[in-house]
Amino acid sequence: MCSPQESGMTSLSARMLTRSRSLGPRAGPRGCGEEPAPLRRREAAAEARKSHSPVKRPRKAQRLRVAYEGSDSEKGGGAEPLKVPVWEPQGWQQQLVNIRAMRNKKDAPVDHLGTEHCYDSSAPPKVRRYQVLLSLMLSSQTKDQVTAGAMQRLRARGLTVDSILQTDDATLGKLIYPVGFWRSKVKYIKQTSAILQQRYGGDIPASVAELVALPGVGPKMAHLAMAVAWGTVSGIAVDTHVHRIANRLRWTKKATKSPEETRAALEEWLPRELWHEINGLLVGFGQQTCLPVRPRCQACLNQALCPAAQGL
């Protein structure tokens, strides 16, 4: 039989057990559907950490932007063309200044007997242009003095397309002799004159392509004809003098083997405003100082600047 004290303790234990079972391990909290406070705090902390963590998004592929040079039609009015570095010979400006100084007297044969001085300035324009072309055809492989003499004899008989076509080959040969290859030139002059009469009304063509298509007319003659007869700079006229001097001064990126190859090499870098001047300048320089054989290097202002002079 239990004592009153033991009976009271047993009753208290029974009530506590009954209450614990009624709550259970996940019993709802006090209030309407709310969870216990400790659980709410843990979940709130977890949500806070989740909200502060960076959101991982799929990386966006980067596009490589490539700029292309637009065509002339695509460029704006203020767009500047791309500047491409161009090779040029070392010290060429000073060499040119020195050549001009040595040529300042203008007393070389080319200066008073060249193509510009061989035609009749009082003749009609069409006849003047024809005489310019004829003097150029005669000048190939011929000194200026000989070419000028032949032109004087031809002009004395009235130098026109019609007069040449009416002259027999033997007479024409005597008039132009002793120009170089005079027999071949008689044939070329007759053939070219006939073409000019038939296709151009006695005038000469106004393009390099048409000029070089004529018998006996080469690129140098065509460019000089464009400059003297038509007043148009179409390219650099390169003869044996210009070809020789350009290679001696190393004005070509590599050694050239022909005047036409030299022309192309010079036109790659020489400023266009110098194209008209360079032929007469170098021809006279080659006639007086930079001779084909035994050049006068001691009298040349470019002796210290000329690569070829260093090897002589």
Side-chain angles (χ1 to χ4, degrees):
M1 191 171 179
C2 297
S3 63
Q5 185 178 2
E6 293 176 343
S7 176
M9 293 182 63
T10 300
S11 176
L12 178 60
S13 297
R15 286 196 302 270
M16 292 179 64
L17 180 60
T18 301
R19 184 174 179 181
S20 175
R21 286 177 178 174
S22 65
L23 291 173
R26 298 184 60 87
R30 292 174 298 273
C32 183
E34 292 183 357
E35 296 180 353
L39 182 58
R40 289 203 310 272
R41 285 194 295 272
R42 285 197 302 270
E43 289 185 359
E47 288 295 333
R49 287 194 301 271
K50 187 183 295 185
S51 63
H52 285 84
S53 62
V55 178
K56 293 184 178 180
R57 298 177 180 176
R59 297 185 64 181
K60 191 174 182 180
Q62 295 183 351
R63 294 183 179 179
L64 179 64
R65 297 182 179 272
V66 181
Y68 294 93
E69 182 183 2
S71 62
D72 292 339
S73 60
E74 295 173 342
K75 293 177 181 179
E80 295 184 359
L82 296 177
K83 294 183 179 179
V84 180
V86 177
W87 175 89
E88 62 180 30
Q90 184 177 5
W92 71 270
Q93 294 97 333
Q94 186 58 51
Q95 292 170 340
L96 182 62
V97 168
N98 291 341
I99 293 173
R100 284 172 175 161
M102 290 182 281
R103 292 276 290 115
N104 64 349
K105 293 182 179 180
K106 300 290 183 182
D107 54 358
V110 70
D111 296 318
H112 53 89
L113 297 174
T115 300
E116 297 90 340
H117 308 279
C118 286
Y119 63 86
D120 182 3
S121 59
S122 63
K126 186 187 298 186
V127 175
R128 290 202 305 264
R129 289 191 287 266
Y130 174 69
Q131 292 181 0
V132 167
L133 181 62
L134 226 64
S135 69
L136 289 168
M137 295 177 69
L138 293 173
S139 69
S140 176
Q141 302 295 316
T142 305
K143 291 184 177 181
D144 289 335
Q145 298 90 324
V146 176
T147 301
M151 285 296 295
Q152 285 179 349
R153 292 189 292 274
L154 289 171
R155 285 171 52 189
R157 294 171 58 95
L159 183 52
T160 64
V161 171
D162 291 336
S163 68
I164 289 295
L165 291 176
Q166 292 170 7
T167 303
D168 61 82
D169 291 0
T171 301
L172 183 57
K174 291 178 182 179
L175 290 170
I176 69 173
Y177 180 84
V179 299
F181 305 99
W182 64 272
R183 289 184 178 87
S184 296
K185 290 178 181 178
V186 167
K187 179 180 65 176
Y188 293 147
I189 289 172
K190 281 294 193 70
Q191 291 174 346
T192 292
S193 298
I195 293 172
L196 297 181
Q197 186 184 61
Q198 296 167 6
R199 300 181 186 176
Y200 299 96
D203 207 343
I204 71 172
S207 72
V208 171
E210 291 176 293
L211 285 166
V212 296
L214 297 172
V217 179
K220 181 207 78 170
M221 303 176 203
H223 288 299
L224 280 176
M226 291 297 297
V228 178
W230 293 108
T232 300
V233 178
S234 57
I236 299 174
V238 178
D239 65 353
T240 56
H241 292 291
V242 179
H243 171 64
R244 177 179 71 256
I245 294 169
N247 276 273
R248 284 180 175 176
L249 292 175
R250 303 293 191 270
W251 278 12
T252 58
K253 197 171 185 179
K254 61 180 181 179
T256 55
K257 298 180 180 180
S258 68
E260 185 61 11
E261 189 178 349
T262 301
R263 180 192 65 79
L266 288 174
E267 289 180 0
E268 286 184 355
W269 68 268
L270 190 67
R272 193 177 181 90
E273 59 268 20
L274 299 177
W275 287 11
H276 179 69
E277 173 193 16
I278 206 67
N279 176 265
L281 192 68
L282 294 188
V283 168
F285 179 58
Q287 290 174 337
Q288 293 181 311
T289 305
C290 196
L291 306 176
V293 181
R294 297 187 183 90
R296 298 167 182 167
C297 296
Q298 297 298 327
C300 181
L301 298 179
N302 282 328
Q303 183 179 13
L305 302 175
C306 176
Q310 308 309 311
L312 296 177

